[in-house]
Amino acid sequence: MATFLPSVYAFFAAAAAGCLLATVFGELRRVGTDRLTAVTLSALVATLAAAAAVVGQFGRPALLFSVFSNPGTAIFRELASLLLALLAGAAYLAALRTGATRRTGRKLSLLAAASGLILALAVGSAAVQPWRPVWNTWTLVLPTAGFASLAGVMLAKSLGAAGHESAGPALSVLKKAEEKTGETASEPLWESTRLAALAPLVGLACYFAAASTRTALASLLTGANAWLFWAGVIVPSVLLSFLAAQFASDTLKRNPVLGIALATLSAFAAGAWQHLVLGLAR
């Protein structure tokens, strides 16, 4: 088994989860159908890539059929969550392409977002093993969920910015009105990039709060893998996202490329974290 495949799986799973979470944010913002279609297609592609990385870990694809006879295993949770994300994303995409009502679209986007969250949680659950002290905690599922949530909020920002630009002159008056009231209007909690940037930190803090993981924390902060923890996990996701929210919030709203780049870095951090977690007990 290629040692990089678990990290590749975590990267694409977090990216897919972020895209699916962004769909419900986009529905709340009444983003254009073309933008929602693009992010949903991205979610489906990322989910298929994550599934390929999982299957690649088997060595022999024939073993895949034995997974579904053991529903209590981590690999079953991974495959089941991938299948759920594919079905929910495909259903929401079908609703977008067939011109379903806004109410139906919101319901299906909620289902897609829920499947994305389940997918992110399944990534961390793969490392939970009772016989390993540093892996004997279900808080392992929280950091990846935090990275996926951060990616979702960043993608939602890019959807909003792009949506305004592609809305045409019919909505230009509305855009100007929003800009005038932007300073006084409070940002919804689900849209707060500052809070989203803290989500991975909360997940990491919950994991390292256990007594059995204190040694692992010390090794990650100052040990041989400290460079990957800081440069691959903390800086590209938490630090850059918080700095962007603090000092470039207007640019983040107007320039979709920045939000997409930060979302990609958050998914990269999920992959780096998966690599570090699997190496903690070696």
Side-chain angles (χ1 to χ4, degrees), residues 135-175:
W135 292 342
N136 186 22
T137 171
W138 282 96
T139 56
L140 271 171
V141 306
L142 298 178
T144 305
F147 293 126
S149 299
L150 177 56
V153 172
M154 290 303 173
L155 285 172
K157 290 289 185 180
S158 67
L159 282 175
H164 281 311
E165 291 174 3
S166 62
L171 292 181
S172 60
V173 176
L174 176 60
K175 178 182 176 182

Side-chain angles (χ1 to χ4, degrees), residues 161-190:
H164 281 311
E165 291 174 3
S166 62
L171 292 181
S172 60
V173 176
L174 176 60
K175 178 182 176 182
K176 291 179 180 179
E178 290 178 348
E179 291 174 348
K180 288 181 180 180
T181 59
E183 296 180 357
T184 58
S186 58
E187 187 178 51
L189 288 179
W190 58 265

